[in-house]
């Protein structure tokens, strides 16, 4: 319970300090830089996710084609 209290106090203190720092020109520049880097990181994650998703969709489509081909061959051999 003491740990939760300390965490809460630390988060609250961090918000107060960040608010005070953001009022200065240097603080505004710092937070603008942090925001830009966070957005770039988020964009990179989204791009990587979409790229991997496309790769997996292609792999599944290829696998479905192979399964269909094997199924057709098995039916033809069974006749």
């Amino acid at each position: 319970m003491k740990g939760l209290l300390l965490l809460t106090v630390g988060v609250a203190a961090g918000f107060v300090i960040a608010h005070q720092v953001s009022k200065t020109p240097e603080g505004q520049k710092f937070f603008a830089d942090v925001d830009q880097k966070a957005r770039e990181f988020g964009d990179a994650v989204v791009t990587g996710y979409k790229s991997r998703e496309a790769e997996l969709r292609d792999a599944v489509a290829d696998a479905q084609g192979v399964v269909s081909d094997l199924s057709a061959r098995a039916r033809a051999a069974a006749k």
Side-chain angles (χ1 to χ4, degrees):
M1 200 60 159
K2 181 179 177 183
L4 181 61
L5 176 65
L6 290 175
L7 176 67
T8 305
V9 169
V11 169
F15 276 114
V16 169
I17 292 169
H19 182 70
Q20 294 299 317
V21 169
S22 71
K23 291 181 179 179
T24 65
E26 295 85 8
Q28 290 173 353
K29 184 176 185 253
F30 170 77
F31 285 117
D33 187 44
V34 168
D35 184 53
Q36 178 186 1
K37 289 179 181 178
R39 288 181 191 276
E40 289 173 0
F41 177 75
D43 291 343
V45 169
V46 168
T47 300
Y49 178 85
K50 288 182 179 180
S51 174
R52 183 64 178 147
E53 183 181 28
E55 290 173 8
L56 293 173
R57 286 186 190 276
D58 290 343
V60 168
D62 290 345
Q64 287 175 341
V66 169
V67 170
S68 296
D69 184 49
L70 290 174
S71 177
R73 287 183 185 183
R75 277 181 280 185
K79 289 183 181 181

